[in-house]
Amino acid sequence: MSLASSRRADTPPHLGDPALLAALTLASAAVARLDAATALHPLLPALLHRTRLDAARRQAAADGHLIDPWHLAAALEGLPLRAMRDSERIMDAGAIQDAARLALDYHGWLAAPDEDAEEEIRAALAALEGQRPYGVPLLDAAWGAWCWLERGGTRPPLRAALVRRWGAVGVLRAPLPLTGAAALGPDQPWDPPLWIPAFLRAVAAEAGTALDLLIEMERRWLAARAAVAAGRRSTSRAPAAVDLLAAVPLVSATTLAAALGMSVKAACAILDELVRLEVAVEVTHRHSRRLFGLAGLAPLRQAAAPPRRPLPGRGRGRPREVPAAVEVPPEILAPAPPPRAGPLERRAFDYGDLEAAMQAVDAAIRKTRAGLARLARSGSADADAAGGGDPACPTDRSPR
């Protein structure tokens, strides 16, 4: 370590720096709002799952491995990577496989670290606890993170340690993955007076994204539950299927069947019915291995759309000019979102199926991680064996 680096590591930025104070104010407010909204919220397990996957994806991107969030969700459900090539994304199937494997490895650090990882996380947590120059939890953690990395510590245990540190000092009651991943991107400054505010701004952005996701999940979930509950028997499994769709970005009939203890054929019937009710959308447009998402929370429907085919009778040449569209007010283009639910509305629903859904999701992640590891060892580029897959549940459309 150079003398200049040694001096920097011994002297944290001055608390009176306006940029530092502004970033601290922003992060403190964003984290406080998130903590207040998630405390005792019934959808917290689902939010944890979604935010951990998104955090792992952001962390992989900061480390130079880009993966589309919906490619990652599709990989978890066993969609073969050759099927992803139709989406014309920026990476080939092999690169997607590598990025997915790295993202799931990062997810393991956050959700279920093994014994070796646990030891490294404890070391990073001890390093964070030993750095308290400000007496302000967010600032102390930021400075501790900089010192850990400056002295050669690695990123994955630090990120997991930060999540635990937030809980230990009372910043967050839930283990939400606020790790400031964007502050470690290749274009970020490393001098502490610049990096620490960047880290705090990244934490604030992650907190804001998580809060927005929770609000949207709650709205969509309650609307879907109300739509499927009308006129059904008490033994219907459709409400439980809605719970699983709220918990995960994408779901296959195989995962739904495992979560609800039913046959794949019955799970297919439920998913098709939810599509007819416009509660769910099919996102893959495939004959088999179909994946579904909760309406309003599944943008892969556009990202994974099949290639456009020429219109019958249309010749070659440039497309004909289309007259400029008349400007339409935004309130006409998109309906207003349903109002946010209150505690009494949330209490009207049974959340018992959510726990079983999350167990099925965790099992799918473990299976996918093991499958990707096997593929890496064998050097195969095909991801058919990486997840559960869904060869059943065919549509009445011809194969694409």
Side-chain angles (χ1 to χ4, degrees):
M1 183 185 301
S2 67
L3 180 59
S5 295
S6 178
R7 285 175 181 167
R8 286 188 304 174
D10 290 336
T11 55
H14 192 270
L15 188 56
D17 181 4
L20 186 65
L21 289 176
L24 175 62
T25 301
L26 181 69
S28 299
V31 173
R33 286 192 293 268
L34 178 61
D35 183 61
T38 54
L40 303 178
H41 198 290
L43 287 180
L44 179 58
L47 180 68
L48 282 173
H49 174 73
R50 284 181 177 262
T51 53
R52 281 170 177 163
L53 281 179
D54 193 48
R57 179 193 61 80
R58 287 196 307 269
Q59 292 164 9
D63 295 349
H65 298 271
L66 295 174
I67 182 169
D68 186 283
W70 305 102
H71 279 163
L72 179 58
L76 288 175
E77 282 296 338
L79 186 69
L81 292 178
R82 63 170 176 265
M84 298 181 194
R85 294 177 188 145
D86 293 339
S87 62
E88 299 179 356
R89 305 300 288 179
I90 61 174
M91 296 180 294
D92 60 18
I96 293 175
Q97 174 186 310
D98 292 340
R101 185 172 63 251
L102 181 66
L104 288 182
D105 180 57
Y106 286 167
H107 179 273
W109 284 89
L110 297 172
D114 57 25
E115 291 184 7
D116 293 337
E118 188 66 35
E119 185 176 349
E120 293 186 53
I121 294 171
R122 284 196 293 266
L125 185 57
L128 292 178
E129 292 171 347
Q131 297 290 339
R132 303 184 186 182
Y134 298 104
V136 180
L138 283 171
L139 279 179
D140 289 341
W143 174 245
W146 187 91
C147 293
W148 168 265
L149 296 170
E150 176 73 5
R151 294 166 185 171
T154 56
R155 297 181 180 190
L158 171 64
R159 290 159 172 158
L162 283 168
V163 176
R164 299 187 187 186
R165 186 64 181 158
W166 303 142
V169 298
V171 171
L172 276 174
R173 283 167 281 185
L176 291 158
L178 304 185
T179 64
L184 292 176
D187 57 344
Q188 293 297 322
W190 188 236
D191 288 338
L194 299 176
W195 186 83
I196 291 179
F199 173 83
L200 293 173
R201 288 192 293 270
V203 168
E206 291 172 1
T209 299
L211 180 58
D212 290 343
L213 176 59
L214 176 64
I215 293 172
E216 190 64 19
M217 283 172 58
E218 182 182 76
R219 287 171 173 164
R220 300 293 179 180
W221 179 78
L222 288 173
R225 269 296 201 112
V228 302
R232 292 184 183 272
R233 299 187 304 270
S234 60
T235 56
S236 172
R237 305 304 286 156
V242 168
D243 288 353
L244 184 58
L245 286 167
V248 297
L250 298 175
V251 69
S252 66
T254 302
T255 299
L256 181 62
L260 303 186
M262 60 172 54
S263 68
V264 174
K265 183 177 180 180
C268 289
I270 289 178
L271 289 169
D272 286 334
E273 181 184 9
L274 294 180
V275 171
R276 286 194 297 271
L277 292 173
E278 299 184 349
V279 167
V281 292
E282 182 192 345
V283 301
T284 41
H285 301 279
R286 292 171 50 79
H287 178 65
S288 61
R289 294 183 185 268
R290 300 161 63 203
L291 300 180
F292 301 82
L294 194 66
L297 293 175
L300 189 67
R301 186 174 181 84
Q302 287 76 32
R308 292 187 179 90
R309 293 175 173 79
L311 296 174
R314 190 195 183 295
R316 296 182 179 180
R318 294 173 55 187
R320 63 187 179 88
E321 280 193 26
V322 179
V326 179
E327 187 173 348
V328 181
E331 59 271 16
I332 298 178
L333 287 175
R340 190 177 177 188
L344 292 178
E345 291 171 287
R346 294 177 196 148
R347 213 173 283 134
F349 292 97
D350 178 16
Y351 300 90
D353 291 316
L354 192 56
E355 183 177 354
M358 299 314 302
Q359 290 174 354
V361 169
D362 290 340
I365 290 177
R366 289 193 298 269
K367 184 175 181 180
T368 304
R369 187 184 295 120
L372 288 173
R374 287 194 300 272
L375 288 173
R377 288 194 296 269
S378 65
S380 171
D382 191 359
D384 284 339
D390 191 15
C393 200
T395 67
D396 55 2
R397 301 190 297 269
S398 59
R400 297 194 182 275

